[in-house]
Coordinates of all heavy atoms in Angstrom, one line a residue:
N7 N 0.8 -1.2 0.0 CA 0.0 0.0 0.0 C 0.9 1.2 0.0 O 0.5 2.3 -0.6 CB -0.9 0.0 1.2 CG -2.0 -1.1 1.1 OD1 -2.4 -1.4 0.0 ND2 -2.4 -1.6 2.3
L8 N 2.0 1.2 0.6 CA 2.9 2.3 0.7 C 3.4 2.6 -0.7 O 3.7 3.8 -1.1 CB 4.1 2.1 1.6 CG 3.8 2.0 3.1 CD1 5.1 1.6 3.9 CD2 3.4 3.4 3.6
L9 N 3.6 1.6 -1.5 CA 4.1 1.8 -2.9 C 3.2 2.6 -3.7 O 3.6 3.1 -4.8 CB 4.5 0.5 -3.5 CG 5.6 -0.3 -2.8 CD1 5.8 -1.7 -3.5 CD2 6.9 0.5 -2.9
K10 N 1.9 2.6 -3.3 CA 0.9 3.3 -4.1 C 1.1 4.8 -4.0 O 0.6 5.6 -4.9 CB -0.5 3.0 -3.6 CG -0.9 1.5 -3.9 CD -2.3 1.2 -3.4 CE -2.6 -0.2 -3.6 NZ -4.0 -0.6 -3.1
H11 N 1.8 5.3 -3.0 CA 2.0 6.7 -2.8 C 3.3 7.1 -3.3 O 4.4 6.6 -2.9 CB 1.9 7.1 -1.3 CG 0.6 6.7 -0.6 ND1 -0.6 7.4 -0.8 CD2 0.3 5.6 0.1 CE1 -1.5 6.8 -0.1 NE2 -1.0 5.7 0.4
S12 N 3.4 7.9 -4.3 CA 4.6 8.3 -5.0 C 5.5 9.1 -4.2 O 6.7 9.1 -4.4 CB 4.3 8.9 -6.3 OG 3.5 10.1 -6.1
C13 N 5.0 9.9 -3.2 CA 5.9 10.8 -2.5 C 5.9 10.5 -1.0 O 5.9 11.4 -0.2 CB 5.5 12.3 -2.8 SG 5.7 12.8 -4.5
F14 N 5.8 9.2 -0.6 CA 5.7 8.9 0.8 C 6.9 9.2 1.5 O 7.0 9.5 2.7 CB 5.2 7.5 1.0 CG 6.2 6.5 0.6 CD1 7.2 6.0 1.5 CD2 6.3 6.0 -0.7 CE1 8.1 5.1 1.1 CE2 7.2 5.1 -1.1 CZ 8.1 4.7 -0.2
I15 N 8.1 9.2 0.8 CA 9.4 9.5 1.5 C 9.4 10.9 2.0 O 10.0 11.3 3.0 CB 10.6 9.2 0.5 CG1 10.6 7.7 0.2 CG2 11.9 9.6 1.1 CD1 11.6 7.4 -0.8
C16 N 8.7 11.8 1.2 CA 8.7 13.2 1.6 C 8.1 13.5 3.0 O 8.5 14.4 3.7 CB 8.0 14.1 0.6 SG 8.7 13.9 -1.1
W17 N 7.1 12.7 3.4 CA 6.4 13.0 4.6 C 6.6 11.9 5.6 O 6.1 11.9 6.7 CB 4.9 13.2 4.4 CG 4.2 12.1 3.6 CD1 4.0 12.1 2.3 CD2 3.7 10.8 4.1 NE1 3.4 10.9 1.9 CE2 3.2 10.1 3.0 CE3 3.6 10.3 5.4 CZ2 2.6 8.9 3.1 CZ3 3.1 9.0 5.5 CH2 2.6 8.3 4.4
S18 N 7.4 10.8 5.2 CA 7.6 9.7 6.2 C 8.6 10.0 7.2 O 9.5 10.9 7.0 CB 8.0 8.4 5.4 OG 9.3 8.7 4.8
S19 N 8.5 9.3 8.3 CA 9.4 9.6 9.5 C 10.7 8.8 9.3 O 10.7 7.9 8.4 CB 8.8 9.2 10.8 OG 8.5 7.8 10.8
P20 N 11.8 9.0 10.0 CA 13.0 8.2 9.9 C 12.7 6.7 10.2 O 13.3 5.9 9.5 CB 13.9 8.8 11.0 CG 13.4 10.2 11.1 CD 12.0 10.2 10.9
G21 N 11.8 6.4 11.0 CA 11.5 5.0 11.3 C 10.9 4.3 10.1 O 11.1 3.2 9.7
D22 N 10.0 5.1 9.4 CA 9.4 4.6 8.2 C 10.4 4.4 7.1 O 10.3 3.4 6.3 CB 8.3 5.6 7.7 CG 7.1 5.6 8.7 OD1 6.9 4.6 9.4 OD2 6.4 6.6 8.7
T23 N 11.4 5.3 7.0 CA 12.4 5.1 6.0 C 13.2 3.9 6.2 O 13.6 3.1 5.3 CB 13.4 6.3 6.0 OG1 12.6 7.5 5.8 CG2 14.4 6.2 5.0
E24 N 13.5 3.6 7.5 CA 14.2 2.4 7.9 C 13.4 1.1 7.5 O 14.0 0.1 7.0 CB 14.5 2.4 9.4 CG 15.3 1.2 9.8 CD 15.6 1.2 11.3 OE1 15.2 2.2 12.0 OE2 16.1 0.2 11.8
V25 N 12.1 1.2 7.7 CA 11.3 0.0 7.3 C 11.3 -0.2 5.8 O 11.4 -1.3 5.3 CB 9.9 0.2 7.9 CG1 8.9 -0.8 7.3 CG2 9.8 0.2 9.4
I26 N 11.2 1.0 5.1 CA 11.2 0.9 3.7 C 12.5 0.3 3.2 O 12.6 -0.5 2.3 CB 11.0 2.3 3.1 CG1 9.5 2.7 3.4 CG2 11.2 2.3 1.5 CD1 9.2 4.1 3.0
E27 N 13.7 0.8 3.7 CA 15.0 0.3 3.3 C 15.0 -1.2 3.7 O 15.6 -2.0 2.9 CB 16.1 1.0 4.0 CG 16.2 2.5 3.6 CD 17.3 3.2 4.3 OE1 17.8 2.6 5.3 OE2 17.6 4.4 4.0
M28 N 14.5 -1.6 4.8 CA 14.5 -3.0 5.2 C 13.7 -3.8 4.2 O 14.1 -4.9 3.8 CB 13.9 -3.2 6.6 CG 13.9 -4.6 7.1 SD 15.6 -5.3 7.3 CE 16.1 -4.4 8.7
D29 N 12.5 -3.3 3.8 CA 11.7 -4.0 2.9 C 12.3 -4.1 1.5 O 12.2 -5.1 0.8 CB 10.3 -3.3 2.7 CG 9.5 -3.5 3.9 OD1 9.7 -4.5 4.7 OD2 8.5 -2.7 4.2
E30 N 13.1 -3.0 1.1 CA 13.8 -3.1 -0.1 C 14.9 -4.2 -0.1 O 15.1 -4.9 -1.1 CB 14.4 -1.7 -0.4 CG 13.4 -0.7 -0.8 CD 14.1 0.7 -1.0 OE1 15.3 0.8 -0.7 OE2 13.4 1.6 -1.5
R31 N 15.6 -4.3 1.0 CA 16.6 -5.4 1.2 C 15.9 -6.7 1.1 O 16.4 -7.7 0.5 CB 17.4 -5.2 2.5 CG 18.3 -4.0 2.4 CD 19.3 -4.1 3.5 NE 18.7 -4.1 4.9 CZ 18.5 -3.0 5.5 NH1 18.8 -1.8 5.0 NH2 18.0 -3.1 6.7
V32 N 14.7 -6.8 1.7 CA 14.0 -8.1 1.7 C 13.6 -8.4 0.3 O 13.7 -9.6 -0.2 CB 12.7 -8.0 2.6 CG1 11.8 -9.2 2.4 CG2 13.1 -8.0 4.1
L33 N 13.1 -7.4 -0.5 CA 12.7 -7.6 -1.9 C 13.9 -8.1 -2.7 O 13.8 -8.9 -3.6 CB 12.1 -6.4 -2.4 CG 10.7 -6.0 -1.9 CD1 10.2 -4.7 -2.5 CD2 9.7 -7.1 -2.3
A34 N 15.1 -7.4 -2.4 CA 16.3 -7.8 -3.1 C 16.7 -9.2 -2.8 O 17.1 -10.0 -3.7 CB 17.4 -6.8 -2.8
K35 N 16.6 -9.6 -1.5 CA 17.0 -10.9 -1.2 C 16.0 -11.9 -1.8 O 16.4 -13.0 -2.3 CB 16.9 -11.1 0.3 CG 18.1 -10.4 1.1 CD 19.4 -11.0 0.7 CE 20.6 -10.3 1.4 NZ 21.9 -10.9 1.0
A36 N 14.7 -11.5 -1.8 CA 13.7 -12.4 -2.4 C 14.0 -12.6 -3.9 O 13.8 -13.6 -4.5 CB 12.3 -11.8 -2.2
A37 N 14.4 -11.4 -4.6 CA 14.7 -11.5 -6.0 C 15.9 -12.4 -6.2 O 16.0 -13.2 -7.2 CB 15.0 -10.1 -6.6
E38 N 16.9 -12.3 -5.3 CA 18.1 -13.2 -5.4 C 17.7 -14.6 -5.2 O 18.2 -15.5 -5.9 CB 19.1 -12.8 -4.3 CG 19.8 -11.5 -4.6 CD 20.8 -11.2 -3.5 OE1 21.1 -12.0 -2.6 OE2 21.4 -10.1 -3.5
I39 N 16.8 -14.9 -4.3 CA 16.3 -16.2 -4.0 C 15.6 -16.8 -5.3 O 15.8 -17.9 -5.7 CB 15.4 -16.3 -2.8 CG1 16.2 -16.1 -1.5 CG2 14.7 -17.6 -2.7 CD1 15.4 -15.9 -0.3
R40 N 14.8 -15.9 -5.9 CA 14.1 -16.3 -7.1 C 15.1 -16.6 -8.2 O 14.9 -17.6 -8.9 CB 13.1 -15.2 -7.6 CG 11.8 -15.2 -6.8 CD 10.7 -14.4 -7.5 NE 11.1 -13.0 -7.7 CZ 10.9 -12.0 -6.8 NH1 10.3 -12.3 -5.6 NH2 11.3 -10.8 -7.0

């Protein structure tokens, strides 16, 4: 759902950015696994 918002980084908090970065790493790992 976060990906639906194009500018969520502009208003997200540092904690949200960390979660997003973590999710990106998870997606990258998932892509590697695939």
Side-chain angles (χ1 to χ4, degrees):
N7 291 327
L8 289 174
L9 294 177
K10 295 179 181 179
H11 303 281
S12 60
C13 296
F14 67 92
I15 298 177
C16 299
W17 51 266
S18 61
S19 64
D22 294 335
T23 302
E24 182 179 354
V25 171
I26 293 171
E27 291 176 354
M28 181 66 70
D29 287 341
E30 289 178 350
R31 288 197 297 274
V32 169
L33 289 174
K35 290 294 182 183
E38 290 180 7
I39 290 172
R40 282 195 299 273

